[in-house]
């Protein structure tokens, strides 16, 4: 087993356990999956562009995707596509974005940050309900409530 994938397994089990304990919403896991898929696509696009000598995806874009939660997809892309694995400065920044992202995720489990996060979800649900006040809002709020 590739040792890089251990981080992905830890994330999956951590998110599942956290969701099971009611600390994080299901939506968070879905967000990680969506951002990971996006990161993989951007890495693939950059790899093809590098081979063809075309316009490349800026490294800053790849790092921002990783920082916001796309790092699992980035790890898979790096390993499967053999892309961005030799540039030491890129790898250092990538692993720093991973550590920052995981640190923020872990901080959701502190009482104060968890309260702020939960309050943000409640406000988001309320704003959706207020903006879409035509009967559709109840379905939207119900959907987001089910994802918690």
């Amino acid at each position: 087993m590739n040792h890089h994938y251990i981080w992905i397994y830890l994330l999956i089990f951590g998110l599942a356990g956290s969701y099971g304990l009611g600390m994080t919403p299901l939506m968070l896991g879905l967000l990680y999956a969506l951002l990971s898929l996006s990161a993989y696509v951007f890495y693939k696009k950059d790899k093809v562009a590098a081979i063809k000598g075309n316009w490349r995806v800026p490294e800053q874009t790849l790092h921002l995707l990783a920082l916001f939660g796309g790092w699992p997809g980035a790890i898979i892309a790096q390993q499967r596509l053999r892309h961005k694995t030799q540039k030491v400065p890129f790898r250092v920044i990538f692993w720093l974005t991973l550590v920052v992202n995981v640190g923020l995720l872990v901080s959701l489990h502190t009482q104060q940050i968890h309260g702020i996060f939960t309050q943000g979800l409640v406000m988001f649900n309320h704003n959706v309900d207020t903006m879409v006040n035509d009967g559709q809002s109840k379905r939207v709020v119900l959907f987001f409530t089910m994802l918690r």
Side-chain angles (χ1 to χ4, degrees):
M1 172 171 70
N2 188 324
H3 69 279
H4 293 94
Y5 296 143
I6 290 171
W7 295 102
I8 299 170
Y9 297 131
L10 288 173
L11 175 70
I12 292 168
F13 290 121
L15 283 174
S18 179
Y19 174 73
L21 294 172
M23 295 297 291
T24 53
L26 181 60
M27 183 180 8
L28 190 61
L30 296 174
L31 184 62
Y32 269 96
L34 179 64
L35 288 168
S36 291
L37 179 62
S38 298
Y40 189 92
V41 168
F42 274 88
Y43 270 80
K44 174 86 172 177
K45 181 179 179 179
D46 189 54
K47 174 74 172 192
V48 169
I51 291 169
K52 293 183 177 181
N54 292 340
W55 177 84
R56 305 280 303 272
V57 175
E59 288 185 353
Q60 182 179 14
T61 301
L62 300 176
H63 289 314
L64 284 173
L65 278 168
L67 178 65
F68 291 129
W71 60 264
I75 288 175
I76 294 169
Q78 289 172 11
Q79 299 306 304
R80 290 184 58 110
L81 304 172
R82 302 302 308 156
H83 189 53
K84 299 289 188 185
T85 58
Q86 299 301 312
K87 289 180 67 177
V88 173
F90 180 89
R91 288 180 26 218
V92 167
I93 294 171
F94 170 78
W95 285 101
L96 286 174
T97 64
L98 184 149
V99 167
V100 168
N101 179 269
V102 170
L104 290 172
L105 180 61
V106 169
S107 74
L108 287 177
H109 296 82
T110 65
Q111 191 172 22
Q112 184 179 15
I113 301 297
H114 180 71
I116 292 169
F117 182 70
T118 303
Q119 185 178 14
L121 284 176
V122 169
M123 286 183 3
F124 176 77
N125 281 338
H126 175 72
N127 288 337
V128 168
D129 189 39
T130 303
M131 289 185 331
V132 189
N133 204 7
D134 62 0
Q136 297 289 330
S137 62
K138 290 185 177 136
R139 282 184 254 166
V140 172
V141 171
L142 179 62
F143 172 75
F144 283 109
T145 304
M146 288 180 354
L147 291 179
R148 282 200 214 166

